[in-house]
Amino acid sequence: MAFCSVITLSRHCRSPYLHISRAPKLPFYCRRRASAIAMSSASETKLTAPYGSWKSPITADVVSGSEKRLGGFSTDSLGRLYWIESRPTESGRNVLVRQADSENDEPIDITPKDFAVRTVAQEYGGGAFSISGDFIIFSNYRDQRLYKQSISSKDSAPVPLTPDYNGPHVCYADGVFDFRLNCYVTVREDRRESSTNAITTIVSVDLRGNGIKEPKILIEGNDFYAFPRIDPEGERMAWIEWSHPNMPWDKSELWVGYISENGDIKERICVAGGNPSIVESLSEPKWSPEGELFFVSDRKSGFWNIYKWVESTNEVLPVYTFNAEFTKPLWVFGLNSYDFLQKPDKKNLIACSYRMNGRSYLGIVDVMQSKLLPLDIPFTDINNIQSGLDCLYVEGASASHPLSIAKVILDDQKSKAVDLKIIWSSSYISPPIQSYISTPELIEFPTEVPGQSAYAYFYPPTNPLFQATQEERPPLLLKSHGGPTAEARGILNLSIQYWTSRGWAFVDVNYGGSTGYGREYRDRLLGRWGITDVNDCCSCAKFLVDSGKVDGERLCITGGSAGGYTALAALAFKDTFKAGASLYGVADLKSLKADTHKLESHYLDNLVGDENAYFARSPINFVDQFSCPMILFQGLEDKVVPPDQARKIYHALKDKGVPVALVEYEGEQHGFRKAENIKYTLEQQMVFFARLVGKHAVADDIIPVKVDNLD
């Protein structure tokens, strides 16, 4: 392929207290890839070579082909586990997979080849399937319709439940079953009138008979809805709702509606969020087996804790108060941070995950005694959990474990984890690769605000075969995470190890505004996006330079989406970094507000402020201040950050004479899912930084993209 400055690519840790069972048999392509990349063990004498030039078995092929994404998981009535995995080698297709019947068998694909289990509701999706008895209901990616499929018979064909609207114009997510009325209650996003201002409602889909029926609207009128949850008797429904300009982590409301015999909501009550004197973010309402409503709120303390609604007195009571986060921001549907233990004699126990000081924990809350008992498992990062038959299923990871689903067996008293078995992993780490893994260090560094600190995960260069001279300091790649209301998490990520195993230092920054540290930390970004995040990233880089860990003349910055904006803003308004990469990042705040999708259409109102701030913090308006090279990557079907953002900054930098390149991908949306594009993005960043900042040759055979104003 001939490369030009604008490229368009199209489709052509073991715990001492816990027994851990062996992982299941690997898929064939993982075993084959692991064999192909095996390298000789480290020799006693390391080779001396410049940082960034080291050879590594963690190639871009390994990163792009073996790392699968997890799209949610659940169990059926027999206790068998099902999960959605996104496969880069199948253009990112989302497949529902069932746990193998025995350890020696391969997991079973449930989704037929012509289907993909994925919803694009609110663009970020989530909550794309539910299981009841011997069938599932799922959202199909291509047309966004709901389908019903038997899981008891092999090769069962999915049957559509919702109408065909001549395209993927109506999306569904976060559905649950109403067994009393035999229907499926779900959030619906209707884009038929407007793709940027969709109408969101809670609807009911009749499951009686086999015909396609128009869903019945149960709740409407607000901007957004999530978590429709039916009580065990089918008489009450809880849900979360919020309105512009708030995001769900800013301010939301929890409601309960009483269901009539014909399925309508006959009356409703606001349980939490309606009191103007209490600003709170509500999440994850859930009915206990006894019919009591629990939920998560950050009222008063500023930390997301578990609460309980006393219906008889309409009171909200804390279940357990702790300066830790028991949920995370509602970017995707279907969060499940806590669950009730399925033991009749232990009805007052809640299994939960919580996050504190950059680490996740698994625990059991005794509701009656208001007591929290931590469980010892090897995961330091936990996303979702679900109670199974005499076990817990946990989605987690650590610095030495890739993202996985584990089955955790508890003792009879539900006070200890006695066995842990890995059911699924996002990637396979072969023995030859393990010695190349860099372990992150959680660092706390001072910000520009006196007495204030921020946090980051620092990964030093690690390679058993190579070393640099004692005088040399490694180049640094700093990553600014997306969101911006999100969090960097110190887990085993092969895309990070790709850099560190080649001799780069890498730091993943949790700037002010990140989650995981409470509302006060999260609110540091209000009115200051483009200031606090940029300052904190620069402060982190300077801290590492002053600590002697990295080379101050070879500092680079990268980020995706909001992180791409921070990278662009850092190069426009600061002189800390020498080059940058923006993956589907924001260059023009005013344009983003006008063009982005409904969920984030007012997000900037609280993050930026008035019109003057929109102008003053948009990198596109200050191209004259850019002097550092920049490479940009953009999906052409991105509805969150439209492609025009990347094109604007590319042409402006090109005209100014700054070294710049733009790579565009056909068929990619917000975030890259195809293996070939993930690989190309990683390799081109590596060679771009090596040529323009690192001043070293790369060990891999990479043909660099043509850089304007350089080549």
Side-chain angles (χ1 to χ4, degrees):
M1 180 181 294
F3 294 102
C4 59
S5 55
V6 180
I7 304 294
T8 300
L9 301 182
S10 60
R11 276 199 319 183
H12 288 287
C13 91
R14 186 179 297 272
S15 166
Y17 309 108
L18 184 67
H19 169 70
I20 304 178
S21 303
R22 71 177 181 86
K25 191 176 178 182
L26 292 167
F28 170 71
Y29 76 89
C30 284
R31 297 196 300 270
R32 181 180 60 189
R33 189 179 303 278
S35 176
I37 64 170
M39 296 181 66
S40 62
S41 60
S43 60
E44 293 183 3
T45 304
K46 291 186 176 183
L47 299 173
T48 300
Y51 285 116
S53 68
W54 302 347
K55 187 73 175 177
S56 169
I58 307 175
T59 65
D61 276 316
V62 171
V63 176
S64 63
S66 65
E67 284 204 345
K68 304 183 289 290
R69 298 184 185 182
L70 186 63
F73 64 95
S74 187
T75 57
D76 63 13
S77 57
L78 300 177
R80 296 177 299 187
L81 183 69
Y82 294 74
W83 64 88
I84 296 175
E85 63 181 45
S86 173
R87 297 174 176 171
T89 54
E90 296 182 36
S91 298
R93 186 172 79 98
N94 282 19
V95 180
L96 185 66
V97 182
R98 194 189 82 195
Q99 179 182 357
D101 295 325
S102 69
E103 289 186 353
N104 294 323
D105 294 333
E106 299 283 358
I108 301 167
D109 284 5
I110 301 298
T111 308
K113 291 292 186 182
D114 295 336
F115 290 82
V117 184
R118 180 185 167 198
T119 175
V120 295
Q122 295 185 173
E123 296 304 328
Y124 299 108
F129 80 102
S130 294
I131 302 176
S132 176
D134 64 348
F135 69 91
I136 61 168
I137 291 178
F138 70 91
S139 294
N140 183 45
Y141 174 62
R142 181 174 298 177
D143 57 13
Q144 288 297 295
R145 298 171 72 184
L146 289 179
Y147 285 77
K148 179 179 179 181
Q149 180 185 359
S150 171
I151 54 177
S152 60
S153 59
K154 189 176 181 181
D155 301 324
S156 173
V159 177
L161 292 175
T162 53
D164 182 359
Y165 298 112
N166 297 316
H169 307 306
V170 178
C171 315
Y172 306 88
D174 211 10
V176 294
F177 292 92
D178 183 339
F179 297 105
R180 180 171 71 98
L181 297 176
N182 195 14
C183 61
Y184 188 68
V185 178
T186 180
V187 175
R188 181 178 73 175
E189 187 178 73
D190 190 341
R191 307 178 181 184
R192 284 176 288 179
E193 294 185 6
S194 171
S195 60
T196 57
N197 192 27
I199 298 173
T200 305
T201 55
I202 297 176
V203 301
S204 174
V205 179
D206 193 343
L207 300 180
R208 295 171 295 183
N210 296 319
I212 297 173
K213 301 169 185 175
E214 185 71 30
K216 176 181 180 180
I217 296 177
L218 301 180
I219 303 293
E220 61 182 332
N222 213 334
D223 293 317
F224 303 100
Y225 298 95
F227 295 111
R229 299 295 183 260
I230 308 295
D231 76 0
E233 302 299 323
E235 298 175 348
R236 297 166 295 175
M237 180 176 75
W239 70 89
I240 299 291
E241 63 179 62
W242 69 98
S243 56
H244 288 313
N246 294 308
M247 298 297 279
W249 48 83
D250 294 324
K251 189 177 188 302
S252 54
E253 298 175 353
L254 169 62
W255 288 77
V256 168
Y258 296 86
I259 306 171
S260 68
E261 291 299 321
N262 65 357
D264 293 328
I265 303 299
K266 57 185 178 182
E267 59 179 293
R268 65 189 73 179
I269 182 172
C270 184
V271 171
N275 186 342
S277 65
I278 302 177
V279 178
E280 59 184 321
S281 165
L282 289 310
S283 191
E284 298 195 52
K286 190 170 297 187
W287 299 95
S288 72
E290 293 73 41
E292 296 179 306
L293 180 62
F294 291 77
F295 60 94
V296 177
S297 171
D298 65 350
R299 56 169 51 202
K300 298 182 181 178
S301 72
F303 288 89
W304 277 312
N305 286 188
I306 300 175
Y307 288 80
K308 173 184 174 182
W309 178 49
V310 182
E311 184 176 13
S312 59
T313 59
N314 193 26
E315 289 182 280
V316 170
L317 302 177
V319 172
Y320 184 80
T321 302
F322 197 32
N323 285 351
E325 303 278 48
F326 284 75
T327 189
K328 59 183 181 179
L330 181 60
W331 279 109
V332 299
F333 290 103
L335 298 181
N336 202 45
S337 303
Y338 71 97
D339 205 354
F340 305 99
L341 288 179
Q342 297 180 10
K343 292 289 289 184
D345 58 338
K346 298 289 183 181
K347 64 181 180 180
N348 295 316
L349 297 183
I350 296 177
C352 61
S353 63
Y354 56 97
R355 194 154 179 85
M356 182 172 59
N357 298 327
R359 178 193 165 119
S360 295
Y361 299 86
L362 183 68
I364 303 294
V365 171
D366 187 320
V367 177
M368 296 297 293
Q369 299 184 29
S370 188
K371 180 180 179 182
L372 174 63
L373 179 66
L375 298 177
D376 186 9
I377 66 171
F379 293 157
T380 57
D381 189 279
I382 299 172
N383 288 320
N384 293 294
I385 67 172
Q386 180 169 324
S387 178
L389 300 177
D390 299 320
C391 69
L392 291 173
Y393 289 102
V394 179
E395 174 191 350
S398 73
S400 57
H401 293 78
L403 181 66
S404 304
I405 303 176
K407 182 178 182 179
V408 179
I409 305 297
L410 305 178
D411 66 357
D412 292 339
Q413 289 73 39
K414 301 296 178 277
S415 60
K416 293 181 181 179
V418 296
D419 184 71
L420 184 146
K421 180 185 295 183
I422 301 296
I423 305 297
W424 174 92
S425 284
S426 60
S427 57
Y428 170 63
I429 311 301
S430 68
I433 285 180
Q434 290 174 353
S435 60
Y436 290 79
I437 299 302
S438 176
T439 301
E441 172 192 354
L442 178 62
I443 62 172
E444 180 177 350
F445 59 91
T447 71
E448 291 194 354
V449 178
Q452 186 184 85
S453 296
Y455 307 92
Y457 291 99
F458 175 71
Y459 299 77
T462 303
N463 189 306
L465 301 181
F466 289 92
Q467 64 183 4
T469 62
Q470 291 185 348
E471 297 77 20
E472 187 184 5
R473 294 291 176 266
L476 173 72
L477 181 59
L478 181 146
K479 181 183 176 184
S480 174
H481 66 68
T485 308
E487 182 184 0
R489 306 169 84 99
I491 65 174
L492 180 53
N493 182 335
L494 287 181
S495 64
I496 293 176
Q497 304 299 329
Y498 174 82
W499 294 90
T500 56
S501 64
R502 283 165 173 73
W504 280 75
F506 193 103
V507 66
D508 211 352
V509 183
N510 274 320
Y511 49 79
S514 303
T515 53
Y517 302 89
R519 180 181 278 266
E520 182 179 348
Y521 195 88
R522 194 166 74 238
D523 284 352
R524 287 185 188 179
L525 208 60
L526 293 182
R528 293 180 57 82
W529 190 34
I531 299 175
T532 297
D533 51 324
V534 171
N535 288 345
D536 287 357
C537 286
C538 293
S539 295
C540 181
K542 293 175 182 177
F543 174 79
L544 293 172
V545 171
D546 294 342
S547 301
K549 294 179 181 292
V550 301
D551 184 349
E553 296 302 314
R554 294 189 291 175
L555 304 177
C556 301
I557 184 170
T558 187
S561 190
Y565 164 71
T566 301
L568 288 168
L571 296 189
F573 306 125
K574 299 286 186 176
D575 59 3
T576 302
F577 300 98
K578 308 304 180 183
S582 171
L583 286 65
Y584 39 93
V586 179
D588 186 341
L589 294 174
K590 186 174 182 180
S591 176
L592 176 69
K593 181 180 178 180
D595 297 338
T596 194
H597 61 134
K598 180 183 176 182
L599 176 66
E600 297 182 73
S601 59
H602 291 268
Y603 190 17
L604 304 192
D605 293 358
N606 291 330
L607 289 178
V608 180
D610 58 24
E611 289 296 319
N612 291 332
Y614 274 84
F615 181 88
R617 294 187 214 156
S618 293
I620 192 65
N621 299 324
F622 298 90
V623 173
D624 60 309
Q625 298 180 190
F626 274 87
S627 60
C628 298
M630 171 65 66
I631 187 167
L632 306 117
F633 301 88
Q634 180 67 46
L636 293 178
E637 294 182 9
D638 194 337
K639 295 180 181 178
V640 177
V641 179
D644 190 52
Q645 292 275 328
R647 290 171 179 168
K648 278 184 178 180
I649 196 71
Y650 161 71
H651 287 295
L653 293 176
K654 179 183 176 183
D655 292 343
K656 183 181 185 291
V658 174
V660 63
L662 169 63
V663 178
E664 296 180 322
Y665 297 121
E666 291 184 1
E668 290 284 17
Q669 299 175 343
H670 197 63
F672 306 145
R673 294 173 175 269
K674 300 178 183 179
E676 63 270 25
N677 297 340
I678 296 171
K679 173 188 176 183
Y680 193 78
T681 302
L682 200 54
E683 289 183 332
Q684 290 305 320
Q685 286 185 85
M686 172 66 71
V687 73
F688 182 83
F689 291 144
R691 294 178 67 197
L692 291 151
V693 177
K695 306 304 181 185
H696 59 258
V698 297
D700 304 287
D701 185 14
I702 303 173
I703 301 175
V705 64
K706 180 179 180 292
V707 179
D708 286 293
N709 302 317
L710 178 69
D711 298 322

